[in-house]
Amino acid sequence: MMGRIICLMGKSSSGKDTIYKHLMADAELKLRPIVPYTTRPIRAGEQDGVEYYFTDEAGFRRLNIEGRIIEQRSYRTIHGLWRYFTVADDKIDLEAADHCLIGTLDVYLSLQHHYGPERVLPVLVELDDGERLTRALAREQSQQHPRYEEMCRRFLADSQDFSEKRIAQAGITRRFRNENLNCCLEEIHEYIVEHRQ
């Protein structure tokens, strides 16, 4: 079996984290995680090494000098520069298993460039904008120090990051609506299994 990277994508608050957790727990798929790195502050309920490896600007620069960064995105937020990046390490072994990570269209394209298009499978999750905004607001309200301005910035940036033009340019034709979690998970499961044939 040729291992693939399942690149789970979607706008903020579309349910990617929940879908990711279910996919990682799927006994038939046996996916291995690719945990990205970030320089943003850790949120309530997050654990280092689970959602992200949390580091700082110095840590980013060190990994970059070592040539281990596959791709990186930088966002100038009202709280300063936040980086998100994927690191090539010994945890990624495509000869042994399929892997999964949450990313953006840019992450997907960078992974294709690094590993080859045949080794990266896109899973684009979609949800109604009104529902996404409701979920995003509820998540921020649960934080000890809500970042409402950043929530709004991210919500607006998603319109550009996941524009129809960019999705088409990336060659993504299959999408998964997350209106019903169980149905969405079943469709994604079948899609991944189909591409193992």
Side-chain angles (χ1 to χ4, degrees):
M1 179 187 83
M2 177 181 71
R4 286 188 170 86
I5 295 174
I6 314 305
C7 188
L8 185 60
M9 298 170 282
K11 295 177 180 178
S12 58
S13 300
S14 59
K16 300 183 300 295
D17 291 338
T18 300
I19 290 171
Y20 175 81
K21 287 172 185 172
H22 281 277
L23 291 177
M24 296 310 299
D26 188 317
E28 183 184 347
L29 294 180
K30 297 178 182 173
L31 299 174
R32 292 186 184 178
I34 298 177
V35 180
Y37 287 63
T38 185
T39 61
R40 78 153 167 77
I42 191 167
R43 291 176 180 155
E46 291 181 327
Q47 297 177 51
D48 188 39
V50 178
E51 293 85 4
Y52 293 96
Y53 289 113
F54 293 92
T55 187
D56 55 17
E57 189 66 18
F60 168 80
R61 285 197 300 268
R62 187 188 74 254
L63 289 164
N64 197 29
I65 289 168
E66 293 170 2
R68 296 172 58 199
I69 295 179
I70 297 171
E71 59 76 30
Q72 71 98 12
R73 295 91 61 214
S74 300
Y75 300 100
R76 295 209 174 273
T77 76
I78 60 163
H79 304 285
L81 182 69
W82 289 357
R83 298 185 191 273
Y84 297 82
F85 50 103
T86 307
V87 176
D89 56 29
D90 58 2
K91 296 178 186 72
I92 302 175
D93 182 1
L94 297 182
E95 301 309 315
D98 286 343
H99 295 59
C100 186
L101 84 164
I102 299 173
T104 63
L105 282 172
D106 289 330
V107 171
Y108 169 65
L109 295 171
S110 295
L111 289 168
Q112 278 193 321
H113 179 75
H114 188 84
Y115 291 103
E118 70 285 354
R119 290 242 163 161
V120 188
L121 186 64
V123 174
L124 180 60
V125 176
E126 295 185 323
L127 184 65
D128 172 74
D129 283 348
E131 180 63 26
R132 288 195 311 107
L133 189 56
T134 300
R135 290 182 183 185
L137 182 58
R139 182 171 68 184
E140 284 308 314
Q141 288 172 331
S142 72
Q143 300 295 312
Q144 185 175 358
H145 302 288
R147 302 173 189 269
Y148 297 117
E149 297 93 341
E150 175 57 21
M151 178 199 78
C152 292
R153 185 205 66 78
R154 181 71 251 154
F155 192 85
L156 294 172
D158 280 336
S159 296
Q160 294 180 353
D161 293 346
F162 289 96
S163 68
E164 290 300 319
K165 181 179 179 182
R166 295 202 70 219
I167 292 170
Q169 287 173 340
I172 297 172
T173 56
R174 181 75 189 269
R175 304 177 192 205
F176 300 89
R177 296 285 298 174
N178 189 21
E179 290 162 353
N180 179 295
L181 178 61
N182 289 331
C183 291
C184 185
L185 286 167
E186 187 176 326
E187 286 181 23
I188 294 170
H189 175 101
E190 291 173 1
Y191 174 70
I192 294 171
V193 171
E194 284 169 14
H195 282 81
R196 284 180 169 173
Q197 308 299 327

